[in-house]
Amino acid sequence: MTVRIAVVDDHPVFRLGMSALLSTLDGIEVAVDASSAAEAAALVTGDVDVVLMDLELGDGSGVEATRELLARYPGLKVLMVTMHEDDDSIAASMRAGARGYLVKGAGPEEVERAVRAVAHGEVILGAAVASRALGMMAASRTLPPAVFPELTEREREVLDLIAAGHDNTTISRRLVLSPKTVRNHTSNILTKLGVADRSAAIVRARDAGLG
């Protein structure tokens, strides 16, 4: 069975190089070549098996694009490809539903192994990040489900970081969201909690055990 691939990356040299590499592999077909989140949304369909998704796209976050694609096509397998190896990026990618995480410095054999593994339903992490990811997941904590049920899961994550004293820039980096998206979430949080400003939200959040 042929594995149909979508390559989504805003760097043309990397995107074209990756497409060329994958096209030489037996049983793999590059079906979609997209340079942005908007193009991915328009071109990726349920006929695609695996999406190689850049973490940081020119018009948005690869994490958000992954979440939106999987909401439409739950059967998609997403392999996040990025320069970053930090724990926050790994966590955000996996929370969005990515099945794998590969650094852009990976060699051709590692790329092929990752694509085939993800296509067959495995979860794969590049060797450089696997041990840290396992430690991070073992140490991760979940927010109490009864806290602020009027908020979405993402809004509760943002509020937790606000309560911990982080500014929007840090929250944007940690959750791999655009600054505009963080501002929108913050505005929604203030409205839903019925508070006037960020300071009041922090008080409410800390009283509830967040932060």
Side-chain angles (χ1 to χ4, degrees):
M1 185 185 79
T2 299
V3 178
R4 290 170 57 82
I5 307 290
V7 180
V8 182
D9 197 291
D10 64 343
H11 293 87
V13 173
F14 179 84
R15 186 177 70 255
L16 294 174
M18 178 62 74
S19 296
L21 167 64
L22 293 171
S23 295
T24 67
L25 303 178
D26 291 336
I28 290 179
E29 173 191 350
V30 177
V32 173
D33 179 310
S35 63
S36 66
E39 283 191 9
L43 299 175
V44 174
T45 68
D47 292 333
V48 170
D49 300 302
V50 177
V51 178
L52 271 68
M53 178 71 72
D54 188 15
L55 181 65
E56 296 178 351
L57 297 167
D59 63 341
S61 162
V63 173
E64 292 181 71
T66 293
R67 188 177 293 109
E68 291 170 5
L69 285 175
L70 290 175
R72 288 161 55 194
Y73 307 111
L76 279 179
K77 309 293 192 306
V78 177
L79 179 63
M80 199 66 73
V81 186
T82 177
M83 293 297 294
H84 299 280
E85 300 181 51
D86 62 280
D87 294 346
D88 292 332
S89 296
I90 299 169
S93 300
M94 303 308 280
R95 281 198 303 269
R99 304 286 295 178
Y101 185 99
L102 189 70
V103 294
K104 286 189 174 180
E109 291 183 0
E110 189 174 358
V111 171
E112 179 180 4
R113 197 160 52 241
V115 168
R116 294 192 189 280
V118 168
H120 286 89
E122 298 177 31
V123 174
I124 186 166
L125 300 176
V129 300
S131 60
R132 287 207 310 277
L134 290 172
M136 175 197 64
M137 287 186 285
S140 67
R141 66 181 182 88
T142 57
L143 301 180
V147 173
F148 303 122
E150 66 269 38
L151 303 182
T152 66
E153 180 180 354
R154 175 61 78 194
E155 288 167 351
R156 288 170 62 242
E157 287 179 321
V158 171
L159 179 58
D160 187 48
L161 292 173
I162 289 174
H166 298 298
D167 59 18
N168 283 2
T169 301
T170 302
I171 294 171
S172 173
R173 185 175 65 252
R174 288 203 169 197
L175 297 182
V176 197
L177 298 172
S178 69
K180 180 180 178 181
T181 298
V182 173
R183 289 195 299 272
N184 289 340
H185 282 315
T186 301
S187 177
N188 290 339
I189 289 167
L190 298 182
T191 299
K192 289 182 179 181
L193 296 186
V195 295
D197 54 31
R198 195 182 186 96
S199 297
I202 289 174
V203 172
R204 286 281 306 279
R206 290 180 177 174
D207 286 345
L210 300 186

